[in-house]
Amino acid sequence: MSFINYASREINCKIVYYGPGLCGKTTNLQFVYQKTSPEAKGKMISLATETERTLFFDFLPLALGEIRGFKTRFHLYTVPGQVFYDASRKLILKGVDGVVFVADSQEERLDANIESLENLKVNLEEQGYQLEKLPFVMQYNKRDLPNVTPVEELRALLNPDGVPEFEACATTGEGVFETLKAVAKLILVDLKKGGS
């Protein structure tokens, strides 16, 4: 749930990047971090293993302008994708305002995508959220690789409700800011409605 600080006139929102292991969640945040001016971002914190897999989360605070005189500050988190870190994922989802699902477009990762999306729904429901009611954006990452599943197939399996979706290559930055802007916009629309 977004936190509004009236004293400092700030709205703080939490965006969680969810998806299977090694799908590119951390790469998304790293690209955003690299391309954002120093005054608009805080320090990026990564808790990673020696193999650079996310152990607990990555965290990046980001200022994205003002809304009715309030500064909007987005807190970007990733979750560890590996199956055995489920408790961490649940914890990171607490207080979420918007979700980006980063799907790995490679054919051999199709099952992992489906499993991770189901895991997201279950973990949200345990905390009283419904994915359908949250600002939610789908990103099909790794579109630059040769062995990718067609977007139509990914859409049918992962995005039957037709939420905003983006093709991406997080290593080059393609689609990264489009994804972030889309989820941020949905969150702000939700805030204006008083939904969060």
Side-chain angles (χ1 to χ4, degrees):
M1 179 178 277
S2 57
F3 173 70
I4 301 176
N5 185 331
Y6 288 94
S8 62
R9 300 188 71 77
E10 271 189 4
I11 301 172
N12 290 276
C13 305
K14 183 175 187 179
I15 299 173
V16 175
Y17 283 68
Y18 214 92
L22 296 177
C23 66
K25 301 177 292 294
T26 298
T27 312
N28 263 272
L29 257 65
Q30 285 171 337
F31 188 82
V32 171
Y33 183 79
Q34 286 164 11
K35 297 293 178 185
T36 304
S37 62
E39 60 271 16
K41 68 187 176 190
K43 190 176 179 183
M44 181 165 167
I45 299 167
S46 289
L47 298 177
T49 60
E50 288 175 1
T51 55
E52 297 196 357
R53 283 184 155 204
T54 305
L55 184 61
F56 193 66
F57 63 80
D58 305 304
F59 169 66
L60 174 61
L62 203 63
L64 289 181
E66 291 196 1
I67 176 171
R68 293 182 185 169
F70 281 78
K71 290 178 194 163
T72 52
R73 195 175 298 275
F74 287 82
H75 299 257
L76 277 50
Y77 287 82
T78 69
V79 296
Q82 299 92 303
V83 175
F84 47 86
Y85 288 128
D86 201 39
S88 300
R89 285 194 292 277
K90 287 180 188 176
L91 196 61
I92 293 160
L93 281 173
K94 277 185 190 262
V96 67
D97 293 296
V99 177
V100 172
F101 187 85
V102 182
D104 188 329
S105 294
Q106 297 179 93
E107 285 175 3
E108 64 269 26
R109 299 297 287 161
L110 207 50
D111 287 345
N113 289 323
I114 295 167
E115 187 183 352
S116 180
L117 187 59
E118 286 303 314
N119 176 257
L120 168 63
K121 289 176 184 171
V122 169
N123 283 344
L124 283 172
E125 282 170 11
E126 276 186 23
Q127 300 184 50
Y129 297 104
Q130 283 181 287
L131 183 59
E132 300 76 26
K133 292 185 178 174
L134 275 176
F136 177 49
V137 171
M138 178 68 64
Q139 182 188 82
Y140 307 121
N141 193 26
K142 304 192 181 184
R143 298 306 299 172
D144 58 318
L145 297 180
N147 56 332
V148 295
T149 304
V151 168
E152 296 72 25
E153 196 177 330
L154 288 170
R155 183 181 297 134
L157 288 167
L158 303 173
N159 190 16
D161 293 335
V163 300
E165 58 184 13
F166 299 90
E167 295 184 43
C169 173
T171 50
T172 64
E174 187 187 337
V176 168
F177 274 100
E178 290 82 353
T179 305
L180 175 58
K181 282 177 189 170
V183 73
K185 188 177 171 185
L186 289 177
I187 290 171
L188 292 177
V189 168
D190 208 41
L191 270 174
K192 284 179 184 171
K193 285 192 301 192
S196 286

